[in-house]
Amino acid sequence: MAERSTAAVDVADNSGDDPLTAQAGKATTDGAAESQNSAEKTAPDTGSERQGTEPAIAAPEMHSGHKLARRYRLEECVTRLDGFSSWRAVDEKLRRAVGVHLLPADHPRARSVLAAARSSALLGDPRFVQVLDAVEENDLVYVVHEWIPDATELTALLAMGPMEPHDAYQLVDQLSQAMAAAHREGLAHLRLTPGAVLRSSTGQYRIRGLAVNAALRGITADGPQRADTEAIGALLYAALTHRWPYENDAYGLSGLPKGVGLLAPDQVRAGVHRGLSELAMRALINDGATASRQEPPCTTPDELAKAVAAMPRIRPPEPAFTSPPEYQRTTYQQGTYARPAPRPGTSITQPVPSPPAPLQSRTGKVLKWTVAALLIAALGLGSWQVADKLIDRDKDSVDPGSSQTDSGEKNPAPESGKPVAIKGARDFDPLGDHSEKPAGIKNSYDGNPSTFWTTDGYKGTGDFGHLKSGVGIILDLGKVQQVGTVDVSFLGGDTSVELRTASEDASSEPTTLGGFNKVANGSGSNVSLKPGKPVRARYVLVWLTKLPQSDEGNFRGKVSEIKITS
């Protein structure tokens, strides 16, 4: 099983065995162990899911410090439920944290768990928490997966209150696109609860437990695409209203009032974005749409992703302006510094005599005129020296032995072909989640061709899986300079790339693709990009538009070195 270099994430979702297509029952958090009795309390079945009814099986007796395959050391048991247990562990070979699911090899679900884990590992989509290993060994079946230490569970985000419209838009957009990609490969989740969704520090959402969480609990569905679509709709509903869209409380959220049915989000809470409210209802309602627009329901993640794309883009809120504090005028009270203290019995409110005006005496007037005369003399001497220098320079400029060019130009153009230093760089992903492997940016211009910056991996085609038109690197030259040639070296195959520059008078780094002008393009492993006419700029964008296929089967760009000359 292929291994990934990222850190790992967690455990099977422990929020009970209630399917989202049924009314959710009591929920628990992912980090807490559950008893078998609490897991058996399920909500009424709607018929869209089937859940295993095998007899209770004791989870394997393991302890902290136990080592699997002489490599994975168990650290902490976070779940023990229904014959399996989930652990936080350490991969001693790669020295990183991982998550491990354990169950006996003779468990009725062991075969399906292994099959689900291996199918999920083959997907290789970075929007899902990756399965790193799936092994049957010594009467045990264990699944090893990523552990992401800097991610926040959606359960914690929902506990903080309703989301802003932009954040809720990003949630449904990213989840629907990810699940649409998974279903195109024949994979379903069936346990897409708040505990199965993580938000990284860069704002990207990742889904854990694809296929595996359902296999661990023996959950199947007659309509898996419909089940996952309704689950995304429930998460969007909760993000907009801070309420769970069923009568029972779940995942730390209050349910809807009993007997009133499913209310639209904008009827539950004032100020909800109208378009997102209708989108949540289209995903949740199977046999009808919202009463206001009569749009058809979304029954698959792909239909939901297209409905999100058809909406007007919701921009992030403007940063709040904080006015500077008012200027505090400092007043100095005239006191009695260096004066003797008043004698006892005398008044302390005696007027202080004001000092005479400066330079008002006869001596002061003489001093003022003397200083003025000296200043005039100094100015005259300085002017004479400056004039003398200018006369000498004019004489030199008409000297027959001067290095004047044949064309008569006195100021030659900047010398071309000189290296231009790159003062800084950052990843540029304005059409995606605004983050594209920022940690490796320095490798693209460090002078070492063996190091490189890589993009995320994309499924399907080299044009970023039809998700966006490109990603790139913004290079800061420190000041406006002449850009003659930009040489870009790629690893892994031919890559299509464009050279774009910000305008010469740009006061800051552009934040949108429209802030850069395309000046050259090319394709290959070593591409030399040269503008058709002289260009002067401080900010230069190397924009990748088509990626080669990697050994992993997906499409990924690798920039090993960027060099700029004037």
Side-chain angles (χ1 to χ4, degrees):
M1 192 65 61
E3 296 174 353
R4 297 171 62 88
S5 60
T6 54
V9 127
D10 169 68
V11 308
D13 177 8
N14 297 348
S15 50
D17 288 337
D18 311 344
L20 275 176
T21 49
Q23 296 179 347
K26 183 178 295 185
T28 62
T29 59
D30 265 3
E34 280 184 314
S35 67
Q36 181 68 26
N37 292 335
S38 63
E40 292 172 353
K41 295 179 180 178
T42 59
D45 187 8
T46 61
S48 60
E49 283 191 349
R50 296 188 301 273
Q51 189 164 314
T53 58
E54 295 87 353
I57 298 177
E61 288 298 331
M62 295 292 175
H63 56 83
S64 298
H66 186 91
K67 195 175 295 185
L68 301 171
R70 299 182 180 179
R71 175 175 181 176
Y72 304 113
R73 187 181 73 248
L74 303 181
E75 292 285 325
E76 179 187 4
C77 182
V78 293
T79 302
R80 190 178 299 275
L81 173 71
D82 204 13
F84 71 89
S85 59
S86 298
W87 295 75
R88 177 178 58 83
V90 174
D91 182 349
E92 293 186 338
K93 182 177 180 180
L94 298 180
R95 297 182 179 180
R96 63 180 180 180
V98 293
V100 178
H101 301 309
L102 278 169
L103 67 164
D106 58 352
H107 194 289
R109 302 172 194 161
R111 302 294 98 197
S112 60
V113 169
L114 276 176
R118 290 167 180 171
S119 299
S120 178
L122 292 175
L123 181 62
D125 193 319
R127 293 171 292 190
F128 294 90
V129 173
Q130 299 296 299
V131 172
L132 306 176
D133 215 347
V135 179
E136 180 179 359
E137 181 182 62
N138 297 332
D139 299 326
L140 280 178
V141 168
Y142 59 89
V143 177
V144 183
H145 52 88
E146 286 184 290
W147 187 286
I148 305 177
D150 63 343
T152 304
E153 194 177 285
L154 183 59
T155 307
L157 298 176
L158 294 178
M160 299 169 62
M163 288 186 177
E164 293 289 336
H166 174 73
D167 294 333
Y169 173 85
Q170 289 295 324
L171 173 69
V172 67
D173 183 38
Q174 295 184 34
L175 295 189
S176 59
Q177 289 191 37
M179 288 310 305
H183 279 282
R184 283 194 292 269
E185 300 297 327
L187 293 172
H189 196 289
L190 306 184
R191 291 284 300 167
L192 198 54
T193 65
V197 179
L198 306 171
R199 187 171 71 179
S200 67
S201 57
T202 61
Q204 181 180 8
Y205 288 96
R206 299 188 67 180
I207 302 172
R208 66 186 175 193
L210 178 66
V212 176
N213 277 6
L216 284 168
R217 291 167 173 77
I219 298 174
T220 60
D222 295 329
Q225 294 205 56
R226 177 60 211 156
D228 285 341
T229 305
E230 184 173 351
I232 299 173
L235 297 181
L236 175 60
Y237 193 103
L240 295 173
T241 64
H242 197 222
R243 300 285 292 268
W244 193 241
Y246 304 101
E247 291 185 354
N248 296 330
D249 300 345
Y251 312 107
L253 302 175
S254 300
L256 297 178
K258 296 184 183 299
V260 299
L262 182 60
L263 300 174
D266 54 3
Q267 296 176 353
V268 175
R269 174 176 166 265
V272 172
H273 188 278
R274 183 67 177 275
L276 292 176
S277 175
E278 294 178 350
L279 196 66
M281 296 298 288
R282 292 175 63 185
L284 283 170
I285 301 175
N286 192 22
D287 56 354
T290 57
S292 57
R293 296 180 59 184
Q294 293 298 321
E295 295 286 353
C298 298
T299 59
T300 67
D302 187 59
E303 291 179 359
L304 183 58
K306 291 178 180 178
V308 176
M311 288 179 55
R313 187 177 180 86
I314 301 176
R315 299 188 176 276
E318 295 292 334
F321 173 75
T322 304
S323 59
E326 295 183 1
Y327 173 72
Q328 301 292 333
R329 182 179 297 277
T330 303
T331 57
Y332 296 94
Q333 181 177 1
Q334 191 172 14
T336 57
Y337 179 73
R339 296 187 187 133
R343 296 179 181 177
T346 60
S347 172
I348 61 173
T349 59
Q350 296 177 356
V352 179
S354 59
L359 300 181
Q360 293 299 319
S361 63
R362 182 174 182 179
T363 303
K365 291 180 179 180
V366 173
L367 181 60
K368 284 195 296 183
W369 283 109
T370 303
V371 172
L374 290 175
L375 288 174
I376 292 173
L379 289 173
L381 179 62
S383 300
W384 176 80
Q385 291 178 342
V386 170
D388 187 58
K389 292 288 185 182
L390 292 174
I391 292 173
D392 290 342
R393 189 178 67 179
D394 291 340
K395 288 179 180 180
D396 293 340
S397 64
V398 297
D399 187 354
S402 64
S403 58
Q404 187 173 358
T405 62
D406 294 339
S407 61
E409 294 179 353
K410 295 181 182 179
N411 297 322
E415 185 176 351
S416 61
K418 283 191 171 184
V420 177
I422 299 173
K423 301 299 183 182
R426 76 170 183 87
D427 59 308
F428 188 58
D429 184 19
L431 308 178
D433 60 1
H434 304 282
S435 177
E436 193 81 10
K437 303 291 187 184
I441 284 296
K442 289 186 178 180
N443 296 335
S444 64
Y445 63 98
D446 60 357
N448 183 359
S450 64
T451 62
F452 56 88
W453 167 78
T454 179
T455 70
D456 288 329
Y458 294 89
K459 298 286 290 183
T461 60
D463 54 353
F464 302 87
H466 304 298
L467 297 176
K468 50 194 170 186
S469 61
V471 297
I473 303 175
I474 297 178
L475 307 169
D476 184 0
L477 308 184
K479 61 181 179 180
V480 175
Q481 301 192 53
Q482 178 171 306
V483 179
T485 304
V486 178
D487 295 312
V488 187
S489 299
F490 297 98
L491 299 177
D494 292 348
T495 306
S496 297
V497 61
E498 295 178 355
L499 176 63
R500 295 172 175 257
T501 59
S503 61
E504 183 177 352
D505 57 353
S507 59
S508 61
E509 176 185 302
T511 58
T512 63
L513 187 60
F516 294 91
N517 300 315
K518 178 181 174 182
V519 296
N521 65 283
S523 180
S525 296
N526 295 284
V527 184
S528 182
L529 302 170
K530 188 172 184 178
K533 59 182 180 179
V535 173
R536 288 176 57 81
R538 173 177 176 178
Y539 301 104
V540 176
L541 171 61
V542 175
W543 182 248
L544 280 59
T545 58
K546 193 168 184 179
L547 309 178
Q549 190 168 14
S550 67
D551 296 337
E552 303 167 357
N554 55 15
F555 292 82
R556 188 186 301 271
K558 297 179 180 180
V559 180
S560 64
E561 202 61 39
I562 300 175
K563 295 181 180 179
I564 302 178
T565 55
S566 60

